[in-house]
mmCIF file of all heavy atoms in Angstrom:
data_model
loop_
_atom_site.group_PDB
_atom_site.id
_atom_site.type_symbol
_atom_site.label_atom_id
_atom_site.label_comp_id
_atom_site.label_asym_id
_atom_site.label_seq_id
_atom_site.Cartn_x
_atom_site.Cartn_y
_atom_site.Cartn_z
ATOM 1 N N TYR B 1 -83.103 -4.907 -32.916
ATOM 2 C CA TYR B 1 -82.974 -4.426 -31.535
ATOM 3 C C TYR B 1 -82.112 -5.363 -30.697
ATOM 4 O O TYR B 1 -81.207 -4.926 -29.969
ATOM 5 C CB TYR B 1 -84.364 -4.285 -30.908
ATOM 6 C CG TYR B 1 -84.319 -4.032 -29.418
ATOM 7 C CD1 TYR B 1 -83.814 -2.833 -28.909
ATOM 8 C CD2 TYR B 1 -84.753 -4.999 -28.509
ATOM 9 C CE1 TYR B 1 -83.758 -2.604 -27.538
ATOM 10 C CE2 TYR B 1 -84.710 -4.782 -27.138
ATOM 11 C CZ TYR B 1 -84.212 -3.579 -26.665
ATOM 12 O OH TYR B 1 -84.143 -3.363 -25.301
ATOM 13 N N ARG B 2 -82.371 -6.650 -30.782
ATOM 14 C CA ARG B 2 -81.585 -7.603 -29.990
ATOM 15 C C ARG B 2 -80.109 -7.574 -30.385
ATOM 16 O O ARG B 2 -79.217 -7.653 -29.529
ATOM 17 C CB ARG B 2 -82.152 -9.013 -30.161
ATOM 18 C CG ARG B 2 -83.512 -9.246 -29.508
ATOM 19 C CD ARG B 2 -83.473 -8.980 -28.028
ATOM 20 N NE ARG B 2 -84.692 -9.424 -27.351
ATOM 21 C CZ ARG B 2 -84.984 -9.126 -26.093
ATOM 22 N NH1 ARG B 2 -84.147 -8.398 -25.377
ATOM 23 N NH2 ARG B 2 -86.105 -9.549 -25.526
ATOM 24 N N ALA B 3 -79.819 -7.477 -31.682
ATOM 25 C CA ALA B 3 -78.423 -7.428 -32.137
ATOM 26 C C ALA B 3 -77.749 -6.156 -31.643
ATOM 27 O O ALA B 3 -76.579 -6.181 -31.229
ATOM 28 C CB ALA B 3 -78.371 -7.515 -33.657
ATOM 29 N N ALA B 4 -78.460 -5.021 -31.668
ATOM 30 C CA ALA B 4 -77.882 -3.764 -31.196
ATOM 31 C C ALA B 4 -77.616 -3.806 -29.696
ATOM 32 O O ALA B 4 -76.604 -3.276 -29.212
ATOM 33 C CB ALA B 4 -78.818 -2.603 -31.538
ATOM 34 N N VAL B 5 -78.506 -4.454 -28.932
ATOM 35 C CA VAL B 5 -78.291 -4.602 -27.495
ATOM 36 C C VAL B 5 -77.036 -5.421 -27.225
ATOM 37 O O VAL B 5 -76.179 -5.043 -26.412
ATOM 38 C CB VAL B 5 -79.515 -5.269 -26.825
ATOM 39 C CG1 VAL B 5 -79.177 -5.700 -25.385
ATOM 40 C CG2 VAL B 5 -80.696 -4.312 -26.816
ATOM 41 N N ARG B 6 -76.908 -6.546 -27.921
ATOM 42 C CA ARG B 6 -75.735 -7.394 -27.696
ATOM 43 C C ARG B 6 -74.455 -6.732 -28.187
ATOM 44 O O ARG B 6 -73.380 -6.933 -27.610
ATOM 45 C CB ARG B 6 -75.932 -8.750 -28.377
ATOM 46 C CG ARG B 6 -76.985 -9.634 -27.730
ATOM 47 C CD ARG B 6 -76.744 -9.849 -26.249
ATOM 48 N NE ARG B 6 -75.450 -10.451 -25.957
ATOM 49 C CZ ARG B 6 -74.918 -10.544 -24.753
ATOM 50 N NH1 ARG B 6 -75.551 -10.049 -23.708
ATOM 51 N NH2 ARG B 6 -73.744 -11.106 -24.570
ATOM 52 N N ALA B 7 -74.540 -5.923 -29.247
ATOM 53 C CA ALA B 7 -73.364 -5.176 -29.712
ATOM 54 C C ALA B 7 -72.906 -4.210 -28.628
ATOM 55 O O ALA B 7 -71.704 -4.062 -28.364
ATOM 56 C CB ALA B 7 -73.689 -4.432 -30.997
ATOM 57 N N LYS B 8 -73.872 -3.561 -28.004
ATOM 58 C CA LYS B 8 -73.546 -2.637 -26.909
ATOM 59 C C LYS B 8 -72.883 -3.365 -25.742
ATOM 60 O O LYS B 8 -71.860 -2.893 -25.201
ATOM 61 C CB LYS B 8 -74.821 -1.946 -26.440
ATOM 62 C CG LYS B 8 -74.652 -1.015 -25.252
ATOM 63 C CD LYS B 8 -76.000 -0.557 -24.716
ATOM 64 C CE LYS B 8 -76.784 -1.684 -24.081
ATOM 65 N NZ LYS B 8 -78.091 -1.241 -23.547
ATOM 66 N N VAL B 9 -73.441 -4.505 -25.361
ATOM 67 C CA VAL B 9 -72.880 -5.270 -24.240
ATOM 68 C C VAL B 9 -71.462 -5.736 -24.563
ATOM 69 O O VAL B 9 -70.556 -5.663 -23.718
ATOM 70 C CB VAL B 9 -73.785 -6.473 -23.903
ATOM 71 C CG1 VAL B 9 -73.117 -7.388 -22.883
ATOM 72 C CG2 VAL B 9 -75.138 -5.989 -23.386
ATOM 73 N N ALA B 10 -71.258 -6.205 -25.796
ATOM 74 C CA ALA B 10 -69.911 -6.637 -26.204
ATOM 75 C C ALA B 10 -68.929 -5.470 -26.160
ATOM 76 O O ALA B 10 -67.775 -5.628 -25.729
ATOM 77 C CB ALA B 10 -69.965 -7.233 -27.607
ATOM 78 N N ALA B 11 -69.376 -4.286 -26.579
ATOM 79 C CA ALA B 11 -68.503 -3.106 -26.545
ATOM 80 C C ALA B 11 -68.148 -2.721 -25.114
ATOM 81 O O ALA B 11 -66.999 -2.341 -24.824
ATOM 82 C CB ALA B 11 -69.189 -1.941 -27.256
ATOM 83 N N LEU B 12 -69.131 -2.803 -24.228
ATOM 84 C CA LEU B 12 -68.862 -2.499 -22.823
ATOM 85 C C LEU B 12 -67.790 -3.410 -22.262
ATOM 86 O O LEU B 12 -66.886 -2.964 -21.539
ATOM 87 C CB LEU B 12 -70.152 -2.641 -22.006
ATOM 88 C CG LEU B 12 -71.167 -1.493 -22.133
ATOM 89 C CD1 LEU B 12 -72.500 -1.906 -21.533
ATOM 90 C CD2 LEU B 12 -70.637 -0.241 -21.449
ATOM 91 N N MET B 13 -67.883 -4.695 -22.592
ATOM 92 C CA MET B 13 -66.880 -5.637 -22.113
ATOM 93 C C MET B 13 -65.528 -5.374 -22.757
ATOM 94 O O MET B 13 -64.485 -5.455 -22.102
ATOM 95 C CB MET B 13 -67.336 -7.072 -22.386
ATOM 96 C CG MET B 13 -68.563 -7.489 -21.594
ATOM 97 S SD MET B 13 -68.989 -9.230 -21.801
ATOM 98 C CE MET B 13 -67.577 -10.024 -21.009
ATOM 99 N N ALA B 14 -65.541 -5.044 -24.045
ATOM 100 C CA ALA B 14 -64.282 -4.776 -24.753
ATOM 101 C C ALA B 14 -63.577 -3.566 -24.178
ATOM 102 O O ALA B 14 -62.337 -3.509 -24.128
ATOM 103 C CB ALA B 14 -64.547 -4.581 -26.242
ATOM 104 N N GLN B 15 -64.350 -2.561 -23.747
ATOM 105 C CA GLN B 15 -63.767 -1.308 -23.273
ATOM 106 C C GLN B 15 -63.489 -1.291 -21.778
ATOM 107 O O GLN B 15 -62.876 -0.348 -21.262
ATOM 108 C CB GLN B 15 -64.703 -0.155 -23.644
ATOM 109 C CG GLN B 15 -64.839 0.056 -25.151
ATOM 110 C CD GLN B 15 -65.856 1.124 -25.515
ATOM 111 O OE1 GLN B 15 -66.202 1.969 -24.690
ATOM 112 N NE2 GLN B 15 -66.338 1.094 -26.746
ATOM 113 N N SER B 16 -63.928 -2.315 -21.073
ATOM 114 C CA SER B 16 -63.693 -2.357 -19.634
ATOM 115 C C SER B 16 -62.214 -2.590 -19.333
ATOM 116 O O SER B 16 -61.583 -3.479 -19.915
ATOM 117 C CB SER B 16 -64.522 -3.478 -18.993
ATOM 118 O OG SER B 16 -64.146 -3.651 -17.632
ATOM 119 N N PRO B 17 -61.623 -1.803 -18.420
ATOM 120 C CA PRO B 17 -60.203 -1.997 -18.070
ATOM 121 C C PRO B 17 -59.938 -3.343 -17.398
ATOM 122 O O PRO B 17 -58.789 -3.789 -17.342
ATOM 123 C CB PRO B 17 -59.912 -0.822 -17.121
ATOM 124 C CG PRO B 17 -61.243 -0.395 -16.606
ATOM 125 C CD PRO B 17 -62.221 -0.672 -17.697
ATOM 126 N N ASP B 18 -60.974 -3.992 -16.896
ATOM 127 C CA ASP B 18 -60.802 -5.282 -16.223
ATOM 128 C C ASP B 18 -60.782 -6.458 -17.197
ATOM 129 O O ASP B 18 -60.505 -7.592 -16.798
ATOM 130 C CB ASP B 18 -61.935 -5.507 -15.218
ATOM 131 C CG ASP B 18 -61.944 -4.466 -14.113
ATOM 132 O OD1 ASP B 18 -60.853 -3.969 -13.768
ATOM 133 O OD2 ASP B 18 -63.044 -4.140 -13.610
ATOM 134 N N THR B 19 -61.103 -6.214 -18.479
ATOM 135 C CA THR B 19 -61.177 -7.299 -19.454
ATOM 136 C C THR B 19 -59.785 -7.604 -20.016
ATOM 137 O O THR B 19 -59.119 -6.698 -20.518
ATOM 138 C CB THR B 19 -62.119 -6.930 -20.611
ATOM 139 O OG1 THR B 19 -63.404 -6.591 -20.079
ATOM 140 C CG2 THR B 19 -62.269 -8.083 -21.585
ATOM 141 N N PRO B 20 -59.335 -8.883 -19.935
ATOM 142 C CA PRO B 20 -58.026 -9.233 -20.506
ATOM 143 C C PRO B 20 -57.967 -8.902 -21.998
ATOM 144 O O PRO B 20 -58.985 -8.906 -22.695
ATOM 145 C CB PRO B 20 -57.940 -10.749 -20.272
ATOM 146 C CG PRO B 20 -58.889 -11.015 -19.146
ATOM 147 C CD PRO B 20 -59.999 -10.021 -19.295
ATOM 148 N N GLY B 21 -56.750 -8.648 -22.492
ATOM 149 C CA GLY B 21 -56.573 -8.187 -23.868
ATOM 150 C C GLY B 21 -57.171 -9.098 -24.915
ATOM 151 O O GLY B 21 -57.839 -8.631 -25.857
ATOM 152 N N ASP B 22 -56.959 -10.422 -24.801
ATOM 153 C CA ASP B 22 -57.493 -11.336 -25.818
ATOM 154 C C ASP B 22 -59.015 -11.371 -25.798
ATOM 155 O O ASP B 22 -59.662 -11.435 -26.848
ATOM 156 C CB ASP B 22 -56.920 -12.743 -25.639
ATOM 157 C CG ASP B 22 -57.184 -13.306 -24.249
ATOM 158 O OD1 ASP B 22 -57.429 -12.512 -23.307
ATOM 159 O OD2 ASP B 22 -57.158 -14.549 -24.095
ATOM 160 N N VAL B 23 -59.594 -11.289 -24.602
ATOM 161 C CA VAL B 23 -61.051 -11.264 -24.478
ATOM 162 C C VAL B 23 -61.598 -9.949 -25.031
ATOM 163 O O VAL B 23 -62.623 -9.927 -25.728
ATOM 164 C CB VAL B 23 -61.482 -11.453 -23.013
ATOM 165 C CG1 VAL B 23 -62.998 -11.322 -22.874
ATOM 166 C CG2 VAL B 23 -61.014 -12.804 -22.496
ATOM 167 N N ALA B 24 -60.912 -8.858 -24.757
ATOM 168 C CA ALA B 24 -61.345 -7.548 -25.248
ATOM 169 C C ALA B 24 -61.359 -7.521 -26.770
ATOM 170 O O ALA B 24 -62.294 -6.990 -27.383
ATOM 171 C CB ALA B 24 -60.430 -6.458 -24.708
ATOM 172 N N ARG B 25 -60.344 -8.097 -27.389
ATOM 173 C CA ARG B 25 -60.292 -8.121 -28.859
ATOM 174 C C ARG B 25 -61.427 -8.977 -29.430
ATOM 175 O O ARG B 25 -62.049 -8.624 -30.434
ATOM 176 C CB ARG B 25 -58.929 -8.634 -29.325
ATOM 177 C CG ARG B 25 -57.792 -7.620 -29.146
ATOM 178 C CD ARG B 25 -56.499 -8.110 -29.791
ATOM 179 N NE ARG B 25 -55.931 -9.253 -29.072
ATOM 180 C CZ ARG B 25 -55.125 -9.149 -28.012
ATOM 181 N NH1 ARG B 25 -54.802 -7.952 -27.544
ATOM 182 N NH2 ARG B 25 -54.635 -10.218 -27.419
ATOM 183 N N ALA B 26 -61.684 -10.099 -28.787
ATOM 184 C CA ALA B 26 -62.777 -10.963 -29.246
ATOM 185 C C ALA B 26 -64.122 -10.258 -29.100
ATOM 186 O O ALA B 26 -64.989 -10.354 -29.982
ATOM 187 C CB ALA B 26 -62.777 -12.271 -28.450
ATOM 188 N N LYS B 27 -64.298 -9.533 -28.003
ATOM 189 C CA LYS B 27 -65.559 -8.818 -27.790
ATOM 190 C C LYS B 27 -65.713 -7.661 -28.779
ATOM 191 O O LYS B 27 -66.825 -7.352 -29.212
ATOM 192 C CB LYS B 27 -65.633 -8.307 -26.348
ATOM 193 C CG LYS B 27 -65.911 -9.402 -25.339
ATOM 194 C CD LYS B 27 -67.274 -10.061 -25.604
ATOM 195 C CE LYS B 27 -67.552 -11.235 -24.732
ATOM 196 N NZ LYS B 27 -68.860 -11.888 -25.056
ATOM 197 N N GLN B 28 -64.601 -7.024 -29.136
ATOM 198 C CA GLN B 28 -64.676 -5.959 -30.127
ATOM 199 C C GLN B 28 -65.106 -6.523 -31.492
ATOM 200 O O GLN B 28 -65.946 -5.940 -32.177
ATOM 201 C CB GLN B 28 -63.315 -5.264 -30.256
ATOM 202 C CG GLN B 28 -63.242 -4.192 -31.328
ATOM 203 C CD GLN B 28 -64.261 -3.079 -31.128
ATOM 204 O OE1 GLN B 28 -64.606 -2.757 -29.995
ATOM 205 N NE2 GLN B 28 -64.737 -2.494 -32.220
ATOM 206 N N ALA B 29 -64.535 -7.664 -31.852
ATOM 207 C CA ALA B 29 -64.927 -8.306 -33.113
ATOM 208 C C ALA B 29 -66.397 -8.718 -33.065
ATOM 209 O O ALA B 29 -67.129 -8.582 -34.052
ATOM 210 C CB ALA B 29 -64.035 -9.516 -33.377
ATOM 211 N N GLU B 30 -66.833 -9.219 -31.906
ATOM 212 C CA GLU B 30 -68.229 -9.614 -31.748
ATOM 213 C C GLU B 30 -69.153 -8.403 -31.890
ATOM 214 O O GLU B 30 -70.207 -8.471 -32.540
ATOM 215 C CB GLU B 30 -68.422 -10.255 -30.375
ATOM 216 C CG GLU B 30 -69.847 -10.704 -30.087
ATOM 217 C CD GLU B 30 -70.001 -11.248 -28.669
ATOM 218 O OE1 GLU B 30 -69.018 -11.795 -28.118
ATOM 219 O OE2 GLU B 30 -71.104 -11.111 -28.116
ATOM 220 N N CYS B 31 -68.744 -7.294 -31.304
ATOM 221 C CA CYS B 31 -69.527 -6.059 -31.400
ATOM 222 C C CYS B 31 -69.718 -5.646 -32.855
ATOM 223 O O CYS B 31 -70.841 -5.336 -33.288
ATOM 224 C CB CYS B 31 -68.827 -4.938 -30.619
ATOM 225 S SG CYS B 31 -69.534 -3.304 -30.884
ATOM 226 N N GLU B 32 -68.647 -5.639 -33.623
ATOM 227 C CA GLU B 32 -68.729 -5.218 -35.022
ATOM 228 C C GLU B 32 -69.577 -6.183 -35.841
ATOM 229 O O GLU B 32 -70.349 -5.771 -36.717
ATOM 230 C CB GLU B 32 -67.321 -5.091 -35.599
ATOM 231 C CG GLU B 32 -66.508 -3.966 -34.949
ATOM 232 C CD GLU B 32 -65.085 -3.874 -35.493
ATOM 233 O OE1 GLU B 32 -64.835 -4.400 -36.598
ATOM 234 O OE2 GLU B 32 -64.223 -3.283 -34.809
ATOM 235 N N SER B 33 -69.469 -7.488 -35.567
ATOM 236 C CA SER B 33 -70.258 -8.486 -36.284
ATOM 237 C C SER B 33 -71.743 -8.304 -35.993
ATOM 238 O O SER B 33 -72.589 -8.346 -36.901
ATOM 239 C CB SER B 33 -69.808 -9.891 -35.887
ATOM 240 O OG SER B 33 -70.636 -10.869 -36.454
ATOM 241 N N LEU B 34 -72.071 -8.084 -34.717
ATOM 242 C CA LEU B 34 -73.470 -7.902 -34.336
ATOM 243 C C LEU B 34 -74.035 -6.607 -34.909
ATOM 244 O O LEU B 34 -75.209 -6.539 -35.279
ATOM 245 C CB LEU B 34 -73.600 -7.906 -32.816
ATOM 246 C CG LEU B 34 -73.453 -9.281 -32.157
ATOM 247 C CD1 LEU B 34 -73.226 -9.142 -30.661
ATOM 248 C CD2 LEU B 34 -74.681 -10.141 -32.427
ATOM 249 N N TRP B 35 -73.196 -5.594 -34.995
ATOM 250 C CA TRP B 35 -73.666 -4.331 -35.579
ATOM 251 C C TRP B 35 -73.996 -4.518 -37.064
ATOM 252 O O TRP B 35 -74.998 -4.005 -37.550
ATOM 253 C CB TRP B 35 -72.624 -3.237 -35.391
ATOM 254 C CG TRP B 35 -73.150 -1.892 -35.806
ATOM 255 C CD1 TRP B 35 -72.979 -1.256 -36.998
ATOM 256 C CD2 TRP B 35 -74.008 -1.057 -35.026
ATOM 257 N NE1 TRP B 35 -73.662 -0.071 -37.017
ATOM 258 C CE2 TRP B 35 -74.305 0.083 -35.808
ATOM 259 C CE3 TRP B 35 -74.550 -1.148 -33.745
ATOM 260 C CZ2 TRP B 35 -75.111 1.116 -35.356
ATOM 261 C CZ3 TRP B 35 -75.350 -0.117 -33.289
ATOM 262 C CH2 TRP B 35 -75.628 1.000 -34.089
ATOM 263 N N ARG B 36 -73.158 -5.265 -37.767
ATOM 264 C CA ARG B 36 -73.439 -5.539 -39.186
ATOM 265 C C ARG B 36 -74.754 -6.319 -39.327
ATOM 266 O O ARG B 36 -75.527 -6.096 -40.263
ATOM 267 C CB ARG B 36 -72.287 -6.322 -39.826
ATOM 268 C CG ARG B 36 -71.032 -5.479 -40.061
ATOM 269 C CD ARG B 36 -70.046 -6.192 -40.975
ATOM 270 N NE ARG B 36 -69.555 -7.431 -40.375
ATOM 271 C CZ ARG B 36 -68.486 -7.498 -39.573
ATOM 272 N NH1 ARG B 36 -67.816 -6.394 -39.256
ATOM 273 N NH2 ARG B 36 -68.087 -8.655 -39.088
ATOM 274 N N LEU B 37 -74.989 -7.242 -38.395
ATOM 275 C CA LEU B 37 -76.244 -8.000 -38.429
ATOM 276 C C LEU B 37 -77.430 -7.059 -38.234
ATOM 277 O O LEU B 37 -78.442 -7.160 -38.933
ATOM 278 C CB LEU B 37 -76.228 -9.076 -37.341
ATOM 279 C CG LEU B 37 -77.352 -10.108 -37.356
ATOM 280 C CD1 LEU B 37 -76.889 -11.389 -36.676
ATOM 281 C CD2 LEU B 37 -78.595 -9.607 -36.650
ATOM 282 N N ALA B 38 -77.304 -6.120 -37.267
ATOM 283 C CA ALA B 38 -78.380 -5.157 -37.036
ATOM 284 C C ALA B 38 -78.622 -4.313 -38.281
ATOM 285 O O ALA B 38 -79.769 -4.062 -38.666
ATOM 286 C CB ALA B 38 -78.034 -4.266 -35.839
ATOM 287 N N GLU B 39 -77.558 -3.881 -38.937
ATOM 288 C CA GLU B 39 -77.698 -3.069 -40.144
ATOM 289 C C GLU B 39 -78.339 -3.853 -41.282
ATOM 290 O O GLU B 39 -79.039 -3.283 -42.118
ATOM 291 C CB GLU B 39 -76.333 -2.538 -40.584
ATOM 292 C CG GLU B 39 -75.781 -1.444 -39.675
ATOM 293 C CD GLU B 39 -74.444 -0.901 -40.154
ATOM 294 O OE1 GLU B 39 -73.623 -1.711 -40.649
ATOM 295 O OE2 GLU B 39 -74.213 0.311 -40.031
ATOM 296 N N SER B 40 -78.104 -5.165 -41.320
ATOM 297 C CA SER B 40 -78.667 -5.973 -42.402
ATOM 298 C C SER B 40 -80.184 -6.015 -42.353
ATOM 299 O O SER B 40 -80.838 -6.294 -43.355
ATOM 300 C CB SER B 40 -78.115 -7.404 -42.338
ATOM 301 O OG SER B 40 -78.656 -8.117 -41.230
#
């Protein structure tokens, strides 16, 4: 549950138009990593 919550938050930041490109890419990678952790 905690990993899925943080994956969601990272995705929100990645998809926000106010997030700089490098930060958005890092947050997208973080989202995918946290999702894999949740699936594990």
Side-chain angles (χ1 to χ4, degrees):
Y1 170 68
R2 290 302 190 190
V5 168
R6 290 306 302 169
K8 177 189 68 180
V9 172
L12 283 167
M13 294 186 67
Q15 295 175 20
S16 171
D18 298 329
T19 304
D22 57 338
V23 176
R25 286 188 291 274
K27 286 298 174 182
Q28 176 58 32
E30 180 184 330
C31 170
E32 294 178 20
S33 174
L34 286 165
W35 188 263
R36 287 193 297 272
L37 189 155
E39 288 182 322
S40 71

